[in-house]
Amino acid sequence: MPDAIEVRKVPIHSVADASELAKLIDDGVMAADRVVAIIGKTEGNGGVNDYTRIISDRAFREVLIDKGAPAEQVKQVPIVWSGGTDGVISPHATIFATTDAEPSDEPRLTVGFAMSEVLLPEDIGRVAMVEKVAAAVEVAMAKAGITDVADVHYVQTKTPLLTVHTIRDAKSRGKTVWTEHTHESMDLSNGCTALGIAVALGEIEMPTDADVMHNRDLFSAVASCSSGVELDQAQVVVVGNATGVGGRYRVGHSVMKDALDADGIWEAIRSAGLDLPERPRTEDLDGKLVNVFLKCEVSQDGQVRGRRNAMLDDSDVHWHRQIKAAVGGVTAAVTGDPAVFVSVSAAHQGPDGGGPVAAIVDLGD
């Protein structure tokens, strides 16, 4: 049985700051060598060349090593950064570490991690990627001690996107790529990864190459997929609940049906185990919400609740940034805290125009 999990959210005070992680370790909240995953938001542009993700990655790994974790072990810790804190979203990190706790018959938070086989540039956007991601999800589930897919509430991934260099590499080997537009490949990598998660969890049957990015009826309700230039494998973190692990925390999930669906956020929090009134308010959270994790996407029809918007036609500000800011504002209005994990590019992650929501709550001892 896996160890219990301690999870804390900390602010990031500047682009290279990891001081709050150091403070958690110094205060004895968690040990450096027991950190198993970090998921956070950085303040860059969220695009292909968002190097704030690499800067934050380095800063957090350096703290873990400085505080006593073996360097080789730290290299293997999954650290998933989503770039872009548009609007009111505040840079922050959610840190997961194993801890000692009495076993419990109540479902409590558990985390498992796996890396996929290498994803070649010609795999991205095709069934080969779906298969490799699905296999890694199954490994991560097993490491988390989860045997029932219904107990998986959040799967966070980081996968490679296409760059000019990797496109050139594929061509040199006589291969083709799904797209030669590197920014478009971000949406592609995320969407294809989500299909792999959905296959592993039995949400859909194996799709075809033609389904990728086109059949939006195929989606996962628990996938949260990010992509970047910093790796060539799928980094998979499975977050769910299991009996026997013990601890104070529990995770739940729901979906936002559209960009304004605050009720979808509240439903995820209820799913995690908080008893809320029928029409909850922020103060009803009573400090028990650790964080929420959302994906968002512009509806393909360019509308929200029947009203037209211009996000997909805007040549000045890419829709990635606009929808992230909008959903970030809705989410912060629910939680009362702008440090929320809202990530864009949600193809095959939740319904078109909406997206999955996961919530982690502290249920006490």
Side-chain angles (χ1 to χ4, degrees):
M1 179 61 64
D3 290 329
I5 297 294
E6 179 66 39
V7 55
R8 296 295 178 96
K9 179 173 68 177
V10 298
I12 297 175
H13 301 295
S14 65
V15 69
D17 173 60
S19 62
E20 296 290 344
L21 169 60
K23 185 178 179 182
L24 284 179
I25 296 168
D26 289 342
D27 291 347
V29 176
M30 55 183 61
D33 62 355
R34 300 192 71 173
V35 171
V36 294
I38 299 172
I39 299 170
K41 291 295 299 183
T42 66
E43 60 201 84
N45 61 24
V48 175
N49 65 334
D50 183 353
Y51 298 109
T52 64
R53 297 184 297 240
I54 296 174
I55 294 169
S56 289
D57 189 273
R58 181 177 299 169
F60 275 71
R61 292 187 197 276
E62 286 175 352
V63 165
L64 292 177
I65 294 170
D66 183 61
K67 296 298 180 181
E72 285 303 313
Q73 176 182 322
V74 171
K75 286 181 182 178
Q76 302 304 315
V77 174
I79 302 183
V80 179
W81 297 109
S82 170
T85 50
D86 303 86
V88 300
I89 301 170
S90 184
H92 69 280
T94 304
I95 303 157
F96 300 81
T98 59
T99 189
D100 297 321
E102 291 295 321
S104 170
D105 291 334
E106 294 295 321
R108 288 295 183 265
L109 184 70
T110 182
V111 175
F113 165 68
M115 295 290 285
S116 76
E117 294 181 36
V118 170
L119 292 166
L120 300 170
E122 59 265 30
D123 293 339
I124 296 174
R126 293 168 175 155
V127 168
M129 184 178 190
V130 175
E131 293 172 339
K132 291 178 180 180
V133 169
V137 171
E138 292 173 359
V139 172
M141 273 185 60
K143 289 183 177 179
I146 297 174
T147 56
D148 187 344
V149 294
D151 291 325
V152 176
H153 295 277
Y154 174 41
V155 182
Q156 179 65 57
T157 63
K158 191 76 175 186
T159 51
L161 45 71
L162 292 168
T163 66
V164 171
H165 172 74
T166 57
I167 292 169
R168 188 168 60 243
D169 169 66
K171 288 182 175 180
S172 73
R173 294 181 286 104
K175 304 296 184 180
T176 63
V177 293
W178 199 94
T179 180
E180 294 190 23
H181 297 284
T182 58
H183 198 275
E184 181 185 34
S185 77
M186 178 181 296
D187 300 334
L188 174 66
S189 181
N190 291 356
C192 195
T193 301
L195 292 174
I197 294 167
V199 167
L201 300 181
E203 296 174 284
I204 63 170
E205 298 296 325
M206 181 64 72
T208 66
D209 284 348
D211 288 323
V212 179
M213 302 301 290
H214 297 297
N215 185 354
R216 296 300 181 102
D217 290 333
L218 302 180
F219 64 83
S220 170
V222 298
S224 176
C225 306
S226 292
S227 51
V229 298
E230 59 266 43
L231 72 175
D232 62 1
Q233 296 168 274
Q235 198 177 65
V236 178
V237 181
V238 167
V239 183
N241 298 312
T243 55
V245 297
R248 296 161 40 194
Y249 303 96
R250 187 169 168 179
V251 61
H253 81 277
S254 185
V255 296
M256 290 181 76
K257 297 179 179 66
D258 60 37
L260 300 178
D261 185 17
D263 287 342
I265 303 170
W266 286 116
E267 186 55 38
I269 298 169
R270 281 196 182 91
S271 170
L274 283 193
D275 186 16
L276 296 171
E278 182 177 353
R279 297 303 305 170
R281 299 167 63 91
T282 301
E283 51 264 35
D284 295 319
L285 297 174
D286 195 26
K288 295 178 181 177
L289 178 66
V290 177
N291 206 2
V292 288
F293 306 83
L294 297 87
K295 292 295 293 189
C296 58
E297 178 91 348
V298 170
S299 177
Q300 296 296 293
D301 65 5
Q303 299 185 66
V304 175
R305 301 191 182 184
R307 296 288 193 182
R308 182 178 71 89
N309 61 71
M311 285 186 281
L312 290 173
D313 291 325
D314 194 330
S315 297
D316 295 315
V317 181
H318 195 276
W319 67 263
H320 276 195
R321 310 203 71 164
Q322 298 191 46
I323 193 65
K324 192 188 308 177
V327 174
V330 171
T331 306
V334 168
T335 66
D337 181 359
V340 288
F341 186 93
V342 178
S343 176
V344 76
S345 187
H348 301 299
Q349 298 153 76
D352 182 40
V357 187
I360 295 176
V361 301
D362 184 347
L363 296 178
D365 295 332

